[in-house]
Every structure is written in C-alpha cells, then in structure tokens.
Amino acid sequence: MQIRFAVPADPAYPARVAAALAAARLRRFGYIGAALAAIGVIGWIASQASARFASLWTALIVAGVLSMLYAPWVRWRARRRSGGYAVEGGYDIDETNIMMRSGSESGGIAWDGVTRVTETPDFWIVYVGRMPATVIPRWLMSAEQAETLRAFMDGRQLLGDR
C-alpha cells in the first residue's frame, strides 16, 4: 500500500482539523455535564418541599450546563485561532507509517503505535493510546485510496465506532 495526496493551503483546513480533534477529546464533558445537570434538576425538584440544599442543586445545574458548553467553546476557539496556519502539505501513508508534511515541517506515526481509528464525516481520527494524535482527511483522497486505506485499517482491526 502506498497512498500519497496533497493538502492545499486552505485557511479553512486547519480549523476543521482543530475542531475534529477538539471534538474527539472533549466529548466526555458533554456527558458529564448532562449527568450533573440531570442530578441537579432532580435534586432541586425534590428539595422544593423543604428548601434544604437548594443552593447545592442549583450549583450542580450550573456546573452541568457550563460543562456542556465547554466543548463547543473550545471548538470555536480552535477554529478561530487556527485559521492563520494554512500551508501546503501532504500525506504519505504506507504499511508502516503515516507521514505528514506541512510547510517545512514533517512528522509521522507508526501504525504499530496506533490503537484505534474513528470516523467523522470528513476525517479518520487516529489514536495513539487514548489520545487522538492526528487526522487523515478522507475528502482529499481518491475513492480508490480511501477504500485501500479502509481495508488496511479494517485488516488491522483499527476501525472503531463513530
């Protein structure tokens, strides 16, 4: 397998990458926030009869809502701040490595270190350990390249749930 493709110097591309990586890292804050808010609402409703601990339940509701808003705020900041980082680059993917070039910088990830790969509408998000390490933009690849890479990742049992 030898897959090569270019990444154009599009100002929107770094923002899309930053948003995809932030979403992958911050998903748990939404779940935690929803749980805190639900516990707070249930406790607040139950405490209305006696008015005891009402401030605790209100604090849990506020903390839950703020936790749910944290991920969208981080994604918005990542999009806003990364727009100026647009440079030409490319990917060179083979059986051993994912090599990425961006301007004058390059780096790579060995497939042996990849623990899983998840899909979004635009990217494959590559995880090393529990952390998302990089993305592979599917829309910049040909259909044949994407199918070849999908088969390779499927063969290594790296493709996880969305």
Side-chain angles (χ1 to χ4, degrees):
M1 172 182 72
Q2 185 69 31
I3 299 172
R4 287 185 179 174
F5 59 94
V7 177
D10 178 13
Y13 178 75
R16 291 171 76 177
V17 170
L21 287 173
R25 287 185 194 124
L26 300 172
R27 187 169 292 125
R28 69 178 168 267
F29 286 100
Y31 298 141
I32 292 168
L36 286 174
I39 291 168
V41 167
I42 291 167
W44 187 77
I45 290 171
S47 74
Q48 289 304 302
S50 66
R52 291 181 61 187
F53 304 110
S55 61
L56 170 68
W57 304 122
T58 304
L60 280 175
I61 294 168
V62 170
V65 169
L66 289 176
S67 181
M68 287 187 288
L69 293 175
Y70 179 66
W73 176 75
V74 169
R75 282 193 303 270
W76 172 78
R77 267 181 60 90
R79 279 191 170 125
R80 188 175 61 85
R81 295 180 74 192
S82 65
Y85 299 128
V87 294
E88 288 186 16
Y91 283 78
D92 188 5
I93 303 170
D94 60 27
E95 293 87 5
T96 58
N97 294 312
I98 305 167
M99 293 299 295
M100 299 145 297
R101 295 178 321 292
S102 180
S104 63
E105 301 291 321
S106 67
I109 297 172
W111 282 111
D112 289 339
V114 175
T115 54
R116 69 183 170 113
V117 178
T118 60
E119 294 184 64
T120 68
D122 295 330
F123 299 101
W124 278 305
I125 301 174
V126 178
Y127 286 77
V128 174
R130 293 179 44 180
M131 294 297 296
T134 191
V135 297
I136 300 173
R138 292 187 294 167
W139 81 93
L140 294 175
M141 304 169 80
S142 70
E144 181 182 307
Q145 289 174 328
E147 199 52 44
T148 300
L149 185 56
R150 177 185 292 282
F152 174 77
M153 291 186 298
D154 213 16
R156 291 185 69 123
Q157 299 177 339
L158 294 172
L159 287 177
D161 297 335
R162 279 186 81 159

